[in-house]
mmCIF file with all atom_site columns, all heavy atoms in Angstrom:
data_model
loop_
_atom_site.group_PDB
_atom_site.id
_atom_site.type_symbol
_atom_site.label_atom_id
_atom_site.label_alt_id
_atom_site.label_comp_id
_atom_site.label_asym_id
_atom_site.label_entity_id
_atom_site.label_seq_id
_atom_site.pdbx_PDB_ins_code
_atom_site.Cartn_x
_atom_site.Cartn_y
_atom_site.Cartn_z
_atom_site.occupancy
_atom_site.B_iso_or_equiv
_atom_site.pdbx_formal_charge
_atom_site.auth_seq_id
_atom_site.auth_comp_id
_atom_site.auth_asym_id
_atom_site.auth_atom_id
_atom_site.pdbx_PDB_model_num
ATOM   1   N N   . ARG A 1 414 ? 80.591 118.243 117.923 1.00 0.00 ? 414 ARG A N   1
ATOM   2   C CA  . ARG A 1 414 ? 81.601 119.147 117.375 1.00 0.00 ? 414 ARG A CA  1
ATOM   3   C C   . ARG A 1 414 ? 82.270 119.889 118.512 1.00 0.00 ? 414 ARG A C   1
ATOM   4   O O   . ARG A 1 414 ? 81.613 120.297 119.459 1.00 0.00 ? 414 ARG A O   1
ATOM   5   C CB  . ARG A 1 414 ? 80.890 120.139 116.454 1.00 0.00 ? 414 ARG A CB  1
ATOM   6   C CG  . ARG A 1 414 ? 81.805 120.907 115.561 1.00 0.00 ? 414 ARG A CG  1
ATOM   7   C CD  . ARG A 1 414 ? 80.959 121.764 114.641 1.00 0.00 ? 414 ARG A CD  1
ATOM   8   N NE  . ARG A 1 414 ? 81.804 122.666 113.910 1.00 0.00 ? 414 ARG A NE  1
ATOM   9   C CZ  . ARG A 1 414 ? 82.199 122.444 112.660 1.00 0.00 ? 414 ARG A CZ  1
ATOM   10  N NH1 . ARG A 1 414 ? 81.828 121.362 112.049 1.00 0.00 ? 414 ARG A NH1 1
ATOM   11  N NH2 . ARG A 1 414 ? 82.963 123.309 112.041 1.00 0.00 ? 414 ARG A NH2 1
ATOM   12  N N   . THR A 1 446 ? 75.506 128.606 112.210 1.00 0.00 ? 446 THR A N   1
ATOM   13  C CA  . THR A 1 446 ? 76.593 127.783 111.634 1.00 0.00 ? 446 THR A CA  1
ATOM   14  C C   . THR A 1 446 ? 76.795 126.527 112.498 1.00 0.00 ? 446 THR A C   1
ATOM   15  O O   . THR A 1 446 ? 76.351 126.497 113.654 1.00 0.00 ? 446 THR A O   1
ATOM   16  C CB  . THR A 1 446 ? 77.926 128.555 111.591 1.00 0.00 ? 446 THR A CB  1
ATOM   17  O OG1 . THR A 1 446 ? 78.394 128.682 112.924 1.00 0.00 ? 446 THR A OG1 1
ATOM   18  C CG2 . THR A 1 446 ? 77.793 129.898 110.936 1.00 0.00 ? 446 THR A CG2 1
ATOM   19  N N   . ASN A 1 472 ? 80.447 139.611 102.493 1.00 0.00 ? 472 ASN A N   1
ATOM   20  C CA  . ASN A 1 472 ? 81.039 138.268 102.694 1.00 0.00 ? 472 ASN A CA  1
ATOM   21  C C   . ASN A 1 472 ? 80.805 137.796 104.118 1.00 0.00 ? 472 ASN A C   1
ATOM   22  O O   . ASN A 1 472 ? 80.920 138.573 105.062 1.00 0.00 ? 472 ASN A O   1
ATOM   23  C CB  . ASN A 1 472 ? 82.561 138.305 102.453 1.00 0.00 ? 472 ASN A CB  1
ATOM   24  C CG  . ASN A 1 472 ? 82.903 138.586 101.006 1.00 0.00 ? 472 ASN A CG  1
ATOM   25  O OD1 . ASN A 1 472 ? 83.705 139.446 100.705 1.00 0.00 ? 472 ASN A OD1 1
ATOM   26  N ND2 . ASN A 1 472 ? 82.262 137.877 100.107 1.00 0.00 ? 472 ASN A ND2 1
ATOM   27  N N   . GLY A 1 473 ? 80.461 136.534 104.223 1.00 0.00 ? 473 GLY A N   1
ATOM   28  C CA  . GLY A 1 473 ? 80.276 135.937 105.551 1.00 0.00 ? 473 GLY A CA  1
ATOM   29  C C   . GLY A 1 473 ? 78.946 136.291 106.190 1.00 0.00 ? 473 GLY A C   1
ATOM   30  O O   . GLY A 1 473 ? 78.722 135.997 107.366 1.00 0.00 ? 473 GLY A O   1
ATOM   31  N N   . ALA A 1 474 ? 78.023 136.956 105.438 1.00 0.00 ? 474 ALA A N   1
ATOM   32  C CA  . ALA A 1 474 ? 76.737 137.365 106.018 1.00 0.00 ? 474 ALA A CA  1
ATOM   33  C C   . ALA A 1 474 ? 75.829 136.158 106.254 1.00 0.00 ? 474 ALA A C   1
ATOM   34  O O   . ALA A 1 474 ? 74.921 136.204 107.075 1.00 0.00 ? 474 ALA A O   1
ATOM   35  C CB  . ALA A 1 474 ? 76.051 138.368 105.108 1.00 0.00 ? 474 ALA A CB  1
ATOM   36  N N   . GLY A 1 475 ? 76.045 135.087 105.482 1.00 0.00 ? 475 GLY A N   1
ATOM   37  C CA  . GLY A 1 475 ? 75.232 133.878 105.691 1.00 0.00 ? 475 GLY A CA  1
ATOM   38  C C   . GLY A 1 475 ? 74.428 133.478 104.464 1.00 0.00 ? 475 GLY A C   1
ATOM   39  O O   . GLY A 1 475 ? 73.479 132.701 104.573 1.00 0.00 ? 475 GLY A O   1
ATOM   40  N N   . LYS A 1 476 ? 74.809 133.988 103.286 1.00 0.00 ? 476 LYS A N   1
ATOM   41  C CA  . LYS A 1 476 ? 74.037 133.697 102.062 1.00 0.00 ? 476 LYS A CA  1
ATOM   42  C C   . LYS A 1 476 ? 74.082 132.194 101.746 1.00 0.00 ? 476 LYS A C   1
ATOM   43  O O   . LYS A 1 476 ? 73.053 131.546 101.587 1.00 0.00 ? 476 LYS A O   1
ATOM   44  C CB  . LYS A 1 476 ? 74.606 134.513 100.885 1.00 0.00 ? 476 LYS A CB  1
ATOM   45  C CG  . LYS A 1 476 ? 74.545 136.021 101.138 1.00 0.00 ? 476 LYS A CG  1
ATOM   46  C CD  . LYS A 1 476 ? 75.083 136.817 100.007 1.00 0.00 ? 476 LYS A CD  1
ATOM   47  C CE  . LYS A 1 476 ? 76.567 136.672 99.747  1.00 0.00 ? 476 LYS A CE  1
ATOM   48  N NZ  . LYS A 1 476 ? 77.449 137.243 100.758 1.00 0.00 ? 476 LYS A NZ  1
ATOM   49  N N   . SER A 1 477 ? 75.315 131.652 101.698 1.00 0.00 ? 477 SER A N   1
ATOM   50  C CA  . SER A 1 477 ? 75.441 130.211 101.400 1.00 0.00 ? 477 SER A CA  1
ATOM   51  C C   . SER A 1 477 ? 74.850 129.382 102.531 1.00 0.00 ? 477 SER A C   1
ATOM   52  O O   . SER A 1 477 ? 74.246 128.331 102.299 1.00 0.00 ? 477 SER A O   1
ATOM   53  C CB  . SER A 1 477 ? 76.899 129.829 101.189 1.00 0.00 ? 477 SER A CB  1
ATOM   54  O OG  . SER A 1 477 ? 77.431 130.595 100.157 1.00 0.00 ? 477 SER A OG  1
ATOM   55  N N   . SER A 1 478 ? 75.006 129.877 103.762 1.00 0.00 ? 478 SER A N   1
ATOM   56  C CA  . SER A 1 478 ? 74.494 129.134 104.921 1.00 0.00 ? 478 SER A CA  1
ATOM   57  C C   . SER A 1 478 ? 72.990 128.942 104.820 1.00 0.00 ? 478 SER A C   1
ATOM   58  O O   . SER A 1 478 ? 72.456 127.870 105.120 1.00 0.00 ? 478 SER A O   1
ATOM   59  C CB  . SER A 1 478 ? 74.824 129.858 106.219 1.00 0.00 ? 478 SER A CB  1
ATOM   60  O OG  . SER A 1 478 ? 76.194 130.117 106.261 1.00 0.00 ? 478 SER A OG  1
ATOM   61  N N   . GLN A 1 507 ? 79.393 127.385 94.275  1.00 0.00 ? 507 GLN A N   1
ATOM   62  C CA  . GLN A 1 507 ? 80.430 128.317 93.799  1.00 0.00 ? 507 GLN A CA  1
ATOM   63  C C   . GLN A 1 507 ? 81.524 127.566 93.049  1.00 0.00 ? 507 GLN A C   1
ATOM   64  O O   . GLN A 1 507 ? 82.000 127.998 92.018  1.00 0.00 ? 507 GLN A O   1
ATOM   65  C CB  . GLN A 1 507 ? 81.058 129.045 94.995  1.00 0.00 ? 507 GLN A CB  1
ATOM   66  C CG  . GLN A 1 507 ? 80.113 129.987 95.686  1.00 0.00 ? 507 GLN A CG  1
ATOM   67  C CD  . GLN A 1 507 ? 80.784 130.744 96.846  1.00 0.00 ? 507 GLN A CD  1
ATOM   68  O OE1 . GLN A 1 507 ? 81.977 130.661 97.042  1.00 0.00 ? 507 GLN A OE1 1
ATOM   69  N NE2 . GLN A 1 507 ? 79.989 131.462 97.602  1.00 0.00 ? 507 GLN A NE2 1
HETATM 70  N N1  . LIG B 2 .   ? 81.036 124.470 107.913 1.00 0.00 ? 701 LIG B N1  1
HETATM 71  C C1  . LIG B 2 .   ? 81.103 125.578 108.624 1.00 0.00 ? 701 LIG B C1  1
HETATM 72  N N2  . LIG B 2 .   ? 81.367 125.513 109.944 1.00 0.00 ? 701 LIG B N2  1
HETATM 73  C C2  . LIG B 2 .   ? 81.421 126.622 110.695 1.00 0.00 ? 701 LIG B C2  1
HETATM 74  N N3  . LIG B 2 .   ? 81.236 127.859 110.221 1.00 0.00 ? 701 LIG B N3  1
HETATM 75  C C3  . LIG B 2 .   ? 80.966 127.999 108.912 1.00 0.00 ? 701 LIG B C3  1
HETATM 76  C C4  . LIG B 2 .   ? 80.887 126.872 108.055 1.00 0.00 ? 701 LIG B C4  1
HETATM 77  N N4  . LIG B 2 .   ? 80.612 127.335 106.815 1.00 0.00 ? 701 LIG B N4  1
HETATM 78  C C5  . LIG B 2 .   ? 80.538 128.672 106.903 1.00 0.00 ? 701 LIG B C5  1
HETATM 79  N N5  . LIG B 2 .   ? 80.732 129.081 108.168 1.00 0.00 ? 701 LIG B N5  1
HETATM 80  C C6  . LIG B 2 .   ? 80.751 130.447 108.647 1.00 0.00 ? 701 LIG B C6  1
HETATM 81  O O1  . LIG B 2 .   ? 79.456 130.982 108.484 1.00 0.00 ? 701 LIG B O1  1
HETATM 82  C C7  . LIG B 2 .   ? 79.538 132.347 108.102 1.00 0.00 ? 701 LIG B C7  1
HETATM 83  C C8  . LIG B 2 .   ? 78.679 132.562 106.862 1.00 0.00 ? 701 LIG B C8  1
HETATM 84  O O2  . LIG B 2 .   ? 79.248 131.833 105.797 1.00 0.00 ? 701 LIG B O2  1
HETATM 85  P P1  . LIG B 2 .   ? 78.581 131.816 104.351 1.00 0.00 ? 701 LIG B P1  1
HETATM 86  O O3  . LIG B 2 .   ? 79.362 130.869 103.521 1.00 0.00 ? 701 LIG B O3  1
HETATM 87  O O4  . LIG B 2 .   ? 77.142 131.576 104.507 1.00 0.00 ? 701 LIG B O4  1
HETATM 88  O O5  . LIG B 2 .   ? 78.840 133.311 103.890 1.00 0.00 ? 701 LIG B O5  1
HETATM 89  P P2  . LIG B 2 .   ? 78.404 134.016 102.548 1.00 0.00 ? 701 LIG B P2  1
HETATM 90  O O6  . LIG B 2 .   ? 77.452 135.089 102.910 1.00 0.00 ? 701 LIG B O6  1
HETATM 91  O O7  . LIG B 2 .   ? 77.954 133.019 101.547 1.00 0.00 ? 701 LIG B O7  1
HETATM 92  O O8  . LIG B 2 .   ? 79.819 134.635 102.161 1.00 0.00 ? 701 LIG B O8  1
HETATM 93  P P3  . LIG B 2 .   ? 80.513 134.842 100.720 1.00 0.00 ? 701 LIG B P3  1
HETATM 94  O O9  . LIG B 2 .   ? 79.865 136.010 100.055 1.00 0.00 ? 701 LIG B O9  1
HETATM 95  O O10 . LIG B 2 .   ? 81.905 135.143 101.097 1.00 0.00 ? 701 LIG B O10 1
HETATM 96  O O11 . LIG B 2 .   ? 80.378 133.572 99.972  1.00 0.00 ? 701 LIG B O11 1
HETATM 97  C C9  . LIG B 2 .   ? 80.992 132.668 107.878 1.00 0.00 ? 701 LIG B C9  1
HETATM 98  O O12 . LIG B 2 .   ? 81.473 133.418 108.974 1.00 0.00 ? 701 LIG B O12 1
HETATM 99  C C10 . LIG B 2 .   ? 81.659 131.326 107.816 1.00 0.00 ? 701 LIG B C10 1
HETATM 100 O O13 . LIG B 2 .   ? 82.934 131.382 108.379 1.00 0.00 ? 701 LIG B O13 1
#
Side-chain angles (χ1 to χ4, degrees):
R414 194 176 171 99
T446 71
N472 293 130
K476 300 180 294 291
S477 302
S478 307
Q507 292 182 7

